[in-house]
Amino acid sequence: AQSVTQLDSQVPVFEEAPVELRCNYSSSVSVYLFWYVQYPNQGLQLLLKYLSGSTLVKGINGFEAEFNKSQTSFHLRKPSVHISDTAEYFCAVTETGANNLFFGTGTRLTVIP
Amino acid sequence: NAGVMQNPRHLVRRRGQEARLRCSPMKGHSHVYWYRQLPEEGLKFMVYLQKENIIDESGMPKERFSAEFPKEGPSILRIQQVVRGDSAAYFCASSGQLPSTDTQYFGPGTRLTVL
């Protein structure tokens, strides 16, 4: 069965500092991985996704993530955060042929001026 | 180029009433998904539909909940005889192709409050 773990429920970070949001998954088959961002009272917006190929995936707003199959991880990183990055971030996984996404419980990123 | 549209954005119901949530997918998309987000939790899959067909409803509660995606018009998520535990944000997503590889685009959600 699939599952997604986001160990950090809240991550405060100072403006212009780097940040890493952790995501680990479990699955017995090949997976596709996604990071979504949710701003207050809005829907989810796709940041980036990994389907195949290069394990380093670049997304919008300067974010990137690295797929590590041996560690079953897909951590999200940004070298320098802005105030506007304050939001909830969700990691999601789906398996080949599946009909839906499995989401983690989210990480609330707060950027401190 | 309109995205996924949901209405209403906020819905208040008293216990025992019915709630109808509507979702219009992105233009050209024929796959619709409904997810529920309880407070302080991630999104949980409810149902996956294509036009006039329910493909996967493994995440739907067995009673009181139903969904449809008619040939014409938006997809509807219907909750009968709502209870306080139904209070949540309900998100609709759509995709143009196979759900496992194609990006799902999310609407802004409907926040249901049951009094």
Side-chain angles (χ1 to χ4, degrees), chain A residues 4 6 23-24 33-36 74 89-93 102-104:
Chain A
V4 179
Q6 292 182 248
C23 173
N24 288 88
L33 296 151
F34 306 79
W35 275 99
Y36 282 86
F74 190 55
Y89 291 79
F90 291 97
C91 181
V93 63
F102 280 88
F103 283 86

Side-chain angles (χ1 to χ4, degrees), chain B residues 89-109:
Chain B
Y90 292 83
F91 289 95
C92 169
S94 72
S95 68
Q97 299 178 32
L98 293 173
S100 62
T101 55
D102 197 26
T103 298
Q104 293 184 24
Y105 293 87
F106 283 79

Side-chain angles (χ1 to χ4, degrees), chain A residues 99-100, chain B residues 4-6 21-35 45-57 67-70 73-77 91-99 102-107:
Chain A
N99 293 324
N100 59 282
Chain B
V4 178
M5 300 177 68
Q6 290 187 249
L21 288 63
R22 288 177 290 277
C23 168
S24 296
M26 284 183 70
K27 188 176 181 180
H29 284 187
S30 59
H31 304 258
V32 167
Y33 318 81
W34 285 94
Y35 292 84
F45 169 75
M46 299 180 76
V47 62
Y48 161 46
L49 310 102
Q50 294 182 24
K51 283 287 186 181
E52 299 184 279
N53 287 304
I54 297 174
I55 308 301
D56 182 350
E57 56 182 347
E68 63 178 7
F69 189 16
S75 175
I76 306 287
L77 179 68
F91 289 95
C92 169
S94 72
S95 68
Q97 299 178 32
L98 293 173
D102 197 26
T103 298
Q104 293 184 24
Y105 293 87
F106 283 79

Side-chain angles (χ1 to χ4, degrees), chain B residues 1 7 11 18 21 32 36 60 65 71 75 77 80 103 107 111-112:
Chain B
N1 207 13
N7 64 81
L11 182 61
E18 179 180 284
L21 288 63
V32 167
R36 177 166 64 175
M60 286 278 270
F65 284 73
K71 186 176 180 181
S75 175
L77 179 68
Q80 295 179 289
T103 298
R111 280 155 181 82
L112 172 65

